[in-house]
Amino acid sequence: MEDELATANVNRSYSLGATSIAIFTFMLFFLYPRYASGQVNAVLFQAALVVMGVATFSFVFASLYYYGASRGSGIDDAERALLSRRGDRFWVLGYSLLFLCPSLILFSIALRGVGSVWFALWVVYLLFVIRYFPRVQTARRGPS
């Protein structure tokens, strides 16, 4: 079962990484001309691009750790759990930043009301993650 879960996590992280790249490309295609002409807040637009970059690479690192945990033979349960925990942490970082980006984009195009709602929802999500993530991440396993 653990191998199946780790494999599913690899696929999920890989898909989210690809989605992040698509969103990044979308932002550049549609917002860069407005950035170049001064129609969007330059600092927030660049911050959104950085956030998307960090989210994307967090998903990539999560995929690598989950892939390591999915290897069949030659890996003990303690190492598998360690790799999975690291993957969990990169995954939650990427997911959290992925949800932050819409508010940055909305603020950068001066939609402050909608951006504030998105940001408030992100803060609620962040508080939820801080409270519940330790309960759902892969459990530590000692040497057998």
Side-chain angles (χ1 to χ4, degrees):
M1 181 65 177
E2 290 176 0
D3 288 341
E4 293 172 12
L5 177 61
T7 301
N9 286 340
V10 169
N11 292 335
R12 183 177 313 121
S13 297
Y14 177 77
S15 296
L16 286 169
T19 300
S20 297
I21 291 170
I23 293 168
F24 184 85
T25 304
F26 175 84
M27 286 171 37
L28 284 176
F29 184 77
F30 288 103
L31 291 179
Y32 183 77
R34 294 181 72 185
Y35 162 77
S37 68
Q39 295 176 342
V40 298
N41 183 312
V43 172
L44 289 174
F45 176 69
Q46 291 179 41
L49 292 175
V50 169
V51 165
M52 285 306 302
V54 174
T56 301
F57 280 95
S58 291
F59 291 133
V60 169
F61 290 134
S63 293
L64 289 172
Y65 279 115
Y66 287 139
Y67 177 76
S70 72
R71 294 181 312 188
S73 61
I75 184 172
D76 64 2
D77 286 344
E79 186 178 358
R80 183 184 316 274
L82 176 65
L83 292 170
S84 291
R85 271 195 318 280
R86 288 178 180 168
D88 292 345
R89 290 176 186 148
F90 275 112
W91 186 85
V92 82
L93 174 65
Y95 211 63
S96 298
L97 292 176
L98 190 63
F99 284 147
L100 173 61
C101 200
S103 60
L104 293 174
I105 293 169
L106 291 166
F107 283 126
S108 73
I109 60 173
L111 291 175
R112 289 178 184 83
V114 180
S116 296
V117 170
W118 271 90
F119 187 74
L121 290 170
W122 180 76
V123 169
V124 168
Y125 163 78
L126 195 62
L127 294 172
F128 182 82
V129 166
I130 289 168
R131 180 176 177 143
Y132 290 106
F133 179 69
R135 297 179 191 174
V136 298
Q137 72 177 336
T138 303
R140 288 185 184 268
R141 296 206 178 129
S144 28

